[in-house]
Amino acid sequence: MNKIIEKPNIIFTRANPSQKLYIVESLHKLGFMVTVVGDGVNDSPSIKVANTGIAMGSGSDAARDASDIIIGDDDLNNIIIGIEEGRRVFDNFKKAICYVMTSQVS
């Protein structure tokens, strides 16, 4: 499994619930951050254990309850847009803090 993990941005598909949970727990033991996207009851355990759990809005109640993020329109491209926007907000926040700190020190 270590040879697979050495490649960045690995995506696992078509895994049964026990395999999903095993993959997430194994990656945690190796020190990786893990995101799980799912929409069914069988995805709930791995969504809950992952660092970030993402559920589809049309998915089961169990998956939505276990997740950190719910995508309302079921479009996975919104994840990328959200990450980019979040990084931009974080960068702007850091710049604002630096500005306030330097202006108040003098």
Side-chain angles (χ1 to χ4, degrees):
M1 185 164 186
N2 285 340
K3 289 188 184 243
I4 294 173
I5 302 304
E6 290 173 1
K7 298 177 184 175
N9 302 323
I10 298 296
I11 298 173
F12 293 93
T13 60
R14 296 292 181 203
N16 66 40
S18 61
Q19 290 172 330
K20 292 175 189 177
L21 193 57
Y22 175 77
I23 290 167
V24 172
E25 289 173 345
S26 297
L27 290 172
H28 274 241
K29 287 179 186 175
L30 294 171
F32 288 93
M33 298 289 289
V34 181
T35 298
V36 176
V37 179
D39 63 350
V41 174
N42 60 340
D43 297 324
S44 299
S46 54
I47 288 173
K48 193 168 193 81
V49 173
N51 296 95
T52 307
I54 301 174
M56 301 299 184
S58 64
S60 69
D61 289 335
R64 285 185 293 199
D65 289 341
S67 68
D68 301 308
I69 300 169
I70 300 172
I71 300 176
D73 63 356
D74 295 351
D75 185 8
L76 293 178
N77 289 326
N78 289 336
I79 296 172
I80 296 167
I81 294 167
I83 291 170
E84 290 171 349
E85 191 172 320
R87 287 180 178 169
R88 193 170 323 132
V89 168
F90 183 73
D91 288 340
N92 289 338
F93 187 67
K94 285 194 310 187
K95 290 175 188 175
I97 289 175
C98 288
Y99 173 75
V100 169
M101 294 298 288
T102 56
S103 66
Q104 295 300 320
V105 170
S106 61

